[in-house]
Amino acid sequence: MTQGGNPPPSDFIRDIIEDDLRTGKNDGVVAVRFPPEPNGYIHIGHAKSVCLNFGIAAQYGGTCNLRMDDTDPAGESLEFVQSIIDDIHWLGFDWQDRLFYASDYFEQLYQFAVQLIKDGKAYVCSLDADEIREHRGSFTEPGRESPYRNRSVAENLDLFARMRAGEFADGEHVLRAKIDMAAPNIVMRDPVMYRIKREPHYRTGTDWVIYPMYDFAHCLSDALEGITYSICTLEFENNRPLYDWFVEQLITGRRPRQIEFARLNVSYTVLSKRRLIELVENKYVSGWDDPRMPTVAGMRRRGYTPEAIRNFAAAIGVAKNDNLVDIALLEHCVREDLNERAPRAMAVLRPLRVVIDNYPEDKVEEFTAPNHPQKPEMGTRPVPFSRVLYIERDDFMEDPPKKYHRLGPGREVRLRNAYVVRYAGMVKNEATGAIEEIHCICDFETRNGPPADGRKIPGVIHWVAAAQAVPAEVRLYDRLFRVPEPQDDDYKRDLNPDSLEILTGCYLEAGLGEAAPGTRYQFERLGYFCVDIKDSRTGRPVLNRIVPLRDSWAKIAGGGR
Ligand code: ATP
Ligand code: MG
């Protein structure tokens, strides 16, 4: 695990940059960017790319721009822009004054296109989408040239200007680069640069009815910003020659270089924006920030820390081949970070009433509990104890097996931070037979240590004092999907029906009713929990379980921890 103090990470992208720095290419400039399209919230895959790009800028004294890649009005919005800004800040990265919008380059991009037309390297094509596809050929067959390919420069300039002016219907014409219809790489067979699309843009409104395609807009946006390394995911590898082609035709001086890495896939979830949008729109989840979502907003609300996500990004590294990362590794990173920083507290999720028969009715005493067993600097807190307590239902069994080190008839157990108690009896509901309360006797001599007679007490359980306890709602989350790789076609079949369990009537230790939204705790023996930032109210807390304590990753990794 990469953590503070370890050497900076290395990978094939950093190797390329270090080579360039050694040979003086780009005059020592390291300029990268993170270019989200504001058509959804960013997810853990984007977070990996954010950590990579901003991490590289920091490591080499360079810069990382945040650029909204907003060249397609469909689905883009200010809400998404704002969420992206918030989430990247929350992850711990900053772009100072370098927030850019590709839509701000629309005029410059248009002029670049005009330049290509004048150079005889672009033409207006009047085939429709199906015809263009047919003409494109296949892997085994070369394409055929469009009958409009040899329009004169003057005619192209005129038609393109009229496309912009809104004289034509959507789809009537497109602007295409004039490259090579026989190129082995299909991407190079006269790709479309501009299409007519009458859809208002969230920033430029109805100013434009033509919009540039990604392959044309992205490389030139990079060049306009002086980007030296345009780091993107592997699906753009085939498009690299086109990236270079546009740049070579239009940019003199320093040119950006595209470098591809493998996109992150994580088991038991989906990271395709289209599918995440579907989950939100069809209400399979409560929203983009549903704590089960792999979005940064969801993980944040769930209680994950930015440090944990950054450690995860460092741990998985940067690869050239697509791979599937076990979600248990992410959960492991969250646990490792929270283990260090989360104060301990006690909470009972499924309460069973316990009466200490030999404890005075109106007495309340205070025990002092450490906030972190290994960190005295995190201080202590008073924990009230009184005659009536709650323990976890499954910490009592009427007929327990031998190795059950909790409460049962004839057994003794240590109440964490407090006394040893011995079972004395139970009360059952006459109609249902359900256990309603149990009775215990307290050994007052165990207040400050083990029993005086030296007998061993094998178990310790957590508890809260009933009179002082704070009632709470606790939401338990499990993986969103029940299979490691949800299928593409009908993945909703694979949704985990038990991904959310809402427990009401839980009890928290006194004092937690005022905990600020976003505060994280380790509830002893249960896991890590976070006060919900949306639904929690003072005195009526709502908590999310971040992760249980059990670490399946440590087991997979060979029990090294
Ligand atoms: P789409 O293009 O389908 O809307 P996208 O996931 O590519 O979705 P973008 O907003 O275009 O979303 O992505 C912004 C940046 O994040 C891109 O540079 C992209 O390569 C990177 N990125 C997206 N998904 C992942 C992932 N799973 N792993 C790593 N990087 C990713
Ligand atoms: Mg994209």
Side-chain angles (χ1 to χ4, degrees):
M1 187 97 347
T2 306
Q3 267 162 5
N6 287 0
S10 190
D11 52 62
F12 75 96
I13 298 178
R14 288 172 162 94
D15 289 346
I16 292 172
I17 295 174
E18 284 171 23
D19 269 352
D20 287 352
L21 289 173
R22 252 192 307 276
T23 59
K25 195 183 164 200
N26 302 323
D27 312 313
V29 173
V30 176
V32 294
R33 85 292 172 259
F34 176 68
E37 180 176 3
N39 61 352
Y41 281 55
I42 58 169
H43 53 60
I44 185 73
H46 295 112
K48 171 185 171 166
S49 180
V50 166
C51 291
L52 176 64
N53 281 292
F54 283 94
I56 281 174
Q59 189 176 340
Y60 298 107
T63 51
C64 181
N65 297 353
L66 175 58
R67 182 198 313 144
M68 298 299 157
D69 202 0
D70 54 357
T71 55
D72 179 355
E76 296 175 353
S77 76
L78 267 181
E79 180 203 342
F80 293 137
V81 168
Q82 198 52 53
S83 74
I84 292 166
I85 288 175
D86 289 349
D87 286 345
I88 300 176
H89 272 149
W90 179 81
L91 282 171
F93 301 102
D94 188 44
W95 46 90
Q96 283 109 21
D97 57 351
R98 292 184 310 278
L99 168 60
F100 299 108
Y101 294 83
S103 55
D104 283 347
Y105 308 142
F106 280 166
E107 184 60 41
Q108 278 155 296
L109 293 171
Y110 179 84
Q111 296 304 335
F112 276 133
V114 167
Q115 186 60 48
L116 282 184
I117 295 174
K118 287 180 179 164
D119 295 344
K121 290 170 182 166
Y123 62 98
V124 173
C125 179
S126 310
L127 296 177
D128 66 25
D130 287 339
E131 292 166 327
I132 289 178
R133 200 172 312 118
E134 271 167 45
H135 278 72
R136 193 172 289 134
S138 66
F139 285 115
T140 48
E141 275 172 61
R144 281 178 297 133
E145 294 191 351
S146 160
Y148 304 99
R149 199 172 198 261
N150 296 313
R151 277 178 164 149
S152 70
V153 168
E155 188 182 1
N156 282 322
L157 285 174
D158 174 62
L159 284 172
F160 189 48
R162 289 164 61 198
M163 281 169 64
R164 175 182 181 166
E167 288 187 26
F168 306 114
D170 290 15
E172 208 173 328
H173 305 288
V174 292
L175 185 72
R176 297 175 70 175
K178 194 170 183 175
I179 308 179
D180 179 5
M181 288 308 291
N185 183 347
I186 296 177
V187 168
M188 301 300 278
R189 296 182 188 169
D190 290 11
V192 174
M193 293 165 54
Y194 269 90
R195 67 218 189 287
I196 304 171
K197 188 164 182 168
R198 270 184 187 67
E199 186 162 341
H201 185 279
Y202 77 102
R203 292 187 84 237
T204 60
T206 52
D207 290 355
W208 292 87
V209 295
I210 57 171
Y211 290 97
M213 304 299 287
Y214 175 91
D215 283 322
F216 178 67
H218 200 85
C219 53
L220 296 169
S221 303
D222 284 341
L224 288 170
E225 291 175 18
I227 299 300
T228 51
Y229 305 98
S230 180
I231 300 169
C232 67
T233 39
L234 223 46
E235 67 268 24
F236 293 106
E237 198 173 14
N238 285 335
N239 302 52
R240 191 184 338 128
L242 182 55
Y243 184 104
D244 291 340
W245 189 87
F246 283 126
V247 168
E248 274 159 28
Q249 310 309 311
L250 293 163
I251 303 297
T252 51
R254 197 193 301 140
R255 291 169 175 165
R257 168 177 177 186
Q258 174 178 303
I259 304 174
E260 310 88 16
F261 71 100
R263 67 191 297 123
L264 171 66
N265 300 298
V266 178
S267 63
Y268 296 98
T269 192
V270 292
L271 294 183
S272 132
K273 236 188 248 170
R274 178 179 59 77
R275 298 169 79 185
L276 294 176
I277 290 170
E278 237 172 66
L279 287 172
V280 172
E281 287 186 348
N282 297 329
K283 304 214 182 329
Y284 292 109
V285 293
S286 65
W288 286 99
D289 65 350
D290 186 301
R292 293 166 292 179
M293 289 283 271
T295 52
V296 173
M299 295 187 289
R300 179 177 173 181
R301 183 165 172 201
R302 172 105 164 232
Y304 286 19
T305 60
E307 292 83 355
I309 295 173
R310 296 202 301 261
N311 289 342
F312 171 72
I316 56 179
V318 182
K320 270 189 203 176
N321 300 316
D322 278 322
N323 54 2
L324 180 70
V325 173
D326 193 328
I327 198 169
L329 175 60
L330 174 59
E331 293 163 349
H332 169 78
C333 292
V334 171
R335 243 179 236 114
E336 286 234 309
D337 186 50
L338 291 176
N339 183 39
E340 295 295 314
R341 67 173 71 230
R344 275 47 173 174
M346 291 196 286
V348 172
L349 301 188
R350 296 177 176 87
L352 173 62
R353 205 175 125 92
V354 176
V355 181
I356 312 290
D357 290 334
N358 60 342
Y359 201 89
E361 287 274 356
D362 42 12
K363 182 172 170 182
V364 179
E365 69 187 301
E366 275 187 351
F367 286 88
T368 300
N371 288 332
H372 195 293
Q374 283 90 40
K375 297 185 183 230
E377 69 275 15
M378 284 177 71
T380 61
R381 65 193 191 281
V383 177
F385 186 91
S386 53
R387 181 181 161 89
V388 181
L389 313 171
Y390 293 114
I391 64 168
E392 227 45 83
R393 279 204 163 263
D394 66 4
D395 280 337
F396 176 80
M397 272 179 88
E398 200 177 344
D399 188 15
K402 207 156 189 288
K403 285 209 165 140
Y404 181 83
H405 296 316
R406 308 181 220 172
L407 259 185
R411 306 217 179 181
E412 272 186 302
V413 74
R414 163 78 68 180
L415 297 174
R416 167 80 91 203
N417 302 313
Y419 298 111
V420 170
V421 295
R422 173 183 292 280
Y423 171 85
M426 70 176 111
V427 177
K428 285 188 173 177
N429 181 300
E430 279 179 14
T432 65
I435 300 167
E436 288 190 329
E437 92 184 11
I438 62 170
H439 288 254
C440 288
I441 300 294
C442 170
D443 179 351
F444 288 102
E445 288 183 349
T446 57
R447 193 183 201 285
N448 295 309
D453 61 8
R455 68 188 195 281
K456 292 267 179 295
I457 308 297
V460 181
I461 63 172
H462 60 276
W463 55 277
V464 295
Q468 290 79 15
V470 181
E473 174 178 323
V474 175
R475 299 169 181 174
L476 303 182
Y477 297 101
D478 200 349
R479 290 160 185 180
L480 189 49
F481 291 88
R482 54 183 168 187
V483 294
E485 294 180 77
Q487 287 314 300
D488 237 298
D489 43 348
D490 186 17
Y491 70 89
K492 278 147 289 199
R493 237 190 2 223
D494 298 332
L495 278 171
N496 175 6
D498 303 318
S499 61
L500 169 62
E501 185 182 0
I502 299 177
L503 301 177
T504 54
C506 310
Y507 288 106
L508 314 182
E509 172 182 315
L512 265 53
E514 276 71 51
T519 311
R520 305 176 183 92
Y521 297 96
Q522 184 196 93
F523 288 153
E524 306 227 19
R525 301 176 64 231
L526 295 174
Y528 295 97
F529 293 78
C530 178
V531 182
D532 190 76
I533 50 179
K534 262 197 180 161
D535 297 339
S536 198
R537 298 288 176 271
T538 304
R540 281 192 297 122
V542 175
L543 285 98
N544 301 315
R545 184 174 68 191
I546 309 169
V547 268
L549 290 178
R550 177 183 41 84
D551 189 335
S552 52
W553 177 258
K555 257 190 236 145
I556 295 165
R561 313 172 172 271

